[in-house]
Amino acid sequence: NVPDSTIWTNCISSNHPDPELNFPCLGWTLNKYYSTLNFNTFSKTFCGAVIDTLTGDTTYCGSFYYVLYELAKGIGLARRAAEQGNEIFITGAIIGGVQYGTIVSVRGDLGIKIWEYQLYPNYPNPFNPSTLIRYSVKENGWVTLKVYDILGSELAVLVNSTKEPGNYEVNFDASNLSSGVYIYTLQVNGFTDSKKMLILR
């Protein structure tokens, strides 16, 4: 919802621990029609790139090899895609009080139905030192979200409380942990799911 005169900055760079994988990003603007929303707006698309700092020439541009973001004016993040092939598209939005497309789920306090319990992949992954973990709860229940090492030893309790239906996110700061693979587990109302995350120093 930024004003029409706003300039979108395209000097985004990744924060990968390997300097060779730290690429600036290219961005471009286009007028795009989102068929799922029946909504026409300007989008800003960012993709990975290697830029020669002396000449300014682009030597590589891989829209899907690195994470691609598409920001739509009046909508926000409209699309995300990555090397692994996991593409996320927005299918609905409430803009200025008007609903466009289909709303599958939003935060529970808006009274929209959440259809399932879900533990999502953390982002970023690999990470250093923090990462965001998202999960969905479809019914009131006691939620626990814990982090374990690869041997099963409990390292952190991120959530241990009652939650109403909705989508939630929690930041995990691993500043005190060494590089390696760790497990995070969500438990609520008999539902259990675990996923791996990788810390790279």
Side-chain angles (χ1 to χ4, degrees), residues 62-153:
S63 299
F64 287 91
Y65 189 78
Y66 300 99
V67 180
L68 176 148
Y69 296 99
E70 187 171 288
L71 302 177
K73 180 174 172 57
I75 297 177
L77 181 63
R79 178 188 178 198
R80 187 185 77 188
E83 177 186 5
Q84 295 87 345
N86 56 318
E87 294 188 51
I88 298 174
F89 291 88
I90 190 170
T91 59
I94 299 174
I95 304 169
V98 180
Q99 178 173 322
Y100 298 89
T102 302
I103 305 293
V104 177
S105 66
V106 295
R107 293 195 179 277
D109 55 6
L110 295 182
I112 305 298
K113 176 76 173 174
I114 304 297
W115 294 103
E116 61 182 355
Y117 297 107
Q118 186 76 44
L119 178 63
Y120 300 96
N122 62 298
Y123 181 81
N125 190 33
F127 67 97
N128 177 30
S130 63
T131 187
L132 194 68
I133 299 174
R134 297 174 50 248
Y135 62 95
S136 298
V137 176
K138 73 173 183 177
E139 296 174 338
N140 287 3
W142 190 271
V143 175
T144 61
L145 180 61
K146 299 181 179 181
V147 177
Y148 302 86
D149 64 21
I150 201 68
L151 299 178
S153 299

Side-chain angles (χ1 to χ4, degrees), residues 17-30:
D18 183 346
E20 293 187 358
L21 297 180
N22 257 330
F23 298 115
C25 292
L26 289 183
W28 59 91
T29 304
L30 69 161

